[in-house]
């Protein structure tokens, strides 16, 4: 009987432990997501979301390093109260061409430093960036993020996600890129608009021509009926006049 009781206690403890572990939330990490869509070859506004995972320290600094093999010529920060932003550029080994202009340097890093309380325990902060022109031949951009706390601790979110494997302990923020949209194509969009306008004008022309044809047919029919009525009246008048003369 005692052995059964012990087994029950052990089983109950194990079950409680499983429930307790399953109730513990996964640790949050620095992530990046677009506002709307981040299309290949286009421009996008993205947010780096930084949660505070410490109970006794605030996040006071964030460094985002850009992939060197996917250079971006345009990176703009948005003012954030209580934070100062610094954009660092680096020379490119091979210049890139954007809108017919050759670019020999690109943004390599953006650093935000708190001049206030920073990201306090139990809160998070979004750090927005305007990026472009996004790569045309890639499905994602992987950044490296360093999160510094007020107690001098640095958490390095730099581990890329390997396909088919579990998420790493300190995953690097990855921005998924969607298929190119015609709205970002400029010339292609304009050509389509011109074609639509021409098709609409052609359709209007056909409708107008058909309307004119219908109007002409109606007028001709009306005149024909009037002619018949007048002719019939003339014949009737002639008959009556002949009868009067014969009488």
């Amino acid at each position: 009987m005692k052995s059964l009781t012990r087994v029950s206690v052990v089983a109950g403890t194990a079950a409680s432990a499983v429930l307790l572990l399953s109730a513990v939330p996964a640790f949050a990490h620095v992530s990046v997501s677009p506002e709307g869509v981040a299309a290949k070859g286009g421009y996008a506004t993205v947010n780096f979301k930084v949660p505070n995972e410490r109970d006794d320290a605030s996040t006071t600094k964030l460094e985002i390093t850009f992939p060197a093999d996917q250079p971006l010529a345009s990176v703009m920060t948005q003012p954030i109260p209580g934070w100062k932003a610094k954009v660092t550029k680096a020379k490119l080994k091979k210049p890139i061409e954007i809108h017919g202009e050759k670019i020999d340097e690109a943004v390599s890093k953006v650093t935000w430093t708190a001049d206030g309380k920073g990201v306090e325990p139990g809160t998070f902060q979004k750090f927005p960036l305007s990026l472009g022109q996004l790569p045309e031949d890639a499905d994602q951009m992987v950044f490296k993020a360093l999160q510094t706390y007020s107690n001098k601790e640095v958490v390095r979110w730099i581990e890329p996600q390997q396909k088919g494997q579990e998420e790493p302990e300190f995953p690097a923020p990855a921005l998924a890129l969607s298929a190119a949209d015609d709205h970002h194509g400029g010339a292609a969009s304009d050509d389509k608009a011109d074609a639509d306008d021409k098709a609409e004008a052609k359709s209007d022309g056909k409708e107008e021509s058909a309307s004119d044809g219908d109007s002409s047919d109606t007028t001709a029919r009306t005149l024909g009926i009037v002619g018949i009525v007048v002719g019939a009246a003339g014949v009737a008048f002639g008959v009556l006049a002949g009868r009067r003369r014969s009488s």
Side-chain angles (χ1 to χ4, degrees):
M1 186 69 177
K2 291 183 179 180
S3 60
L4 291 175
T5 303
R6 290 178 180 175
V7 170
S8 299
V9 171
V10 171
T13 303
S16 299
V18 170
L19 291 175
L20 180 61
L21 289 174
S22 62
V24 175
F27 287 110
H29 51 77
V30 175
S31 60
V32 59
S33 60
E35 291 184 3
V37 176
K40 298 178 182 179
Y43 291 78
T45 297
V46 304
N47 288 301
F48 285 89
K49 183 179 178 181
V50 180
N52 191 323
E53 297 182 327
R54 301 294 180 266
D55 296 329
D56 56 354
S58 297
T59 295
T60 56
K61 187 177 181 181
L62 174 68
E63 298 174 70
I64 299 295
T65 300
F66 290 71
D69 58 343
Q70 296 172 324
L72 299 178
S74 175
V75 176
M76 292 187 293
T77 62
Q78 178 178 314
I80 303 175
W83 294 84
K84 292 181 179 179
K86 179 183 178 181
V87 178
T88 303
K89 294 185 177 182
K91 287 287 184 179
L92 297 175
K93 295 181 179 179
K94 183 180 179 180
I96 58 176
E97 186 172 330
I98 298 180
H99 302 308
E101 182 180 356
K102 286 189 176 182
I103 307 297
D104 60 356
E105 65 177 9
V107 173
S108 59
K109 184 171 64 175
V110 176
T111 304
W112 287 272
T113 304
D115 56 7
K117 295 182 179 180
V119 186
E120 298 184 272
T123 66
F124 70 90
Q125 176 69 52
K126 288 184 177 181
F127 296 84
L129 286 177
S130 175
L131 307 179
Q133 188 172 0
L134 299 175
E136 297 180 349
D137 56 354
D139 294 327
Q140 67 175 359
M141 293 186 69
V142 180
F143 304 85
K144 292 181 179 180
L146 300 184
Q147 181 180 10
T148 302
Y149 286 91
S150 55
N151 60 4
K152 307 304 180 182
E153 178 189 4
V154 178
V155 181
R156 302 168 63 84
W157 304 98
I158 61 173
E159 299 176 10
Q161 174 69 55
Q162 301 298 332
K163 189 175 181 180
Q165 297 185 11
E166 294 183 357
E167 184 179 68
E169 185 177 2
F170 298 99
L175 175 66
L177 303 179
S178 63
D181 189 350
D182 287 342
H183 292 294
H184 297 281
S189 180
D190 293 340
D191 291 342
K192 185 178 184 299
D194 291 341
D196 292 343
D197 291 341
K198 290 179 181 179
E200 184 177 355
K202 187 176 181 180
S203 176
D204 292 342
K206 288 182 178 180
E207 292 178 358
E208 184 177 354
S209 177
S211 178
D212 291 344
D214 293 343
S215 178
S216 298
D217 291 343
T218 301
T219 302
R221 290 174 183 173
T222 302
L223 292 175
I225 293 173
V226 172
I228 293 173
V229 173
V230 172
V235 172
F237 180 77
V239 171
L240 290 175
R243 288 180 180 178
R244 288 178 181 176
R245 290 174 183 176
S246 61
S247 63

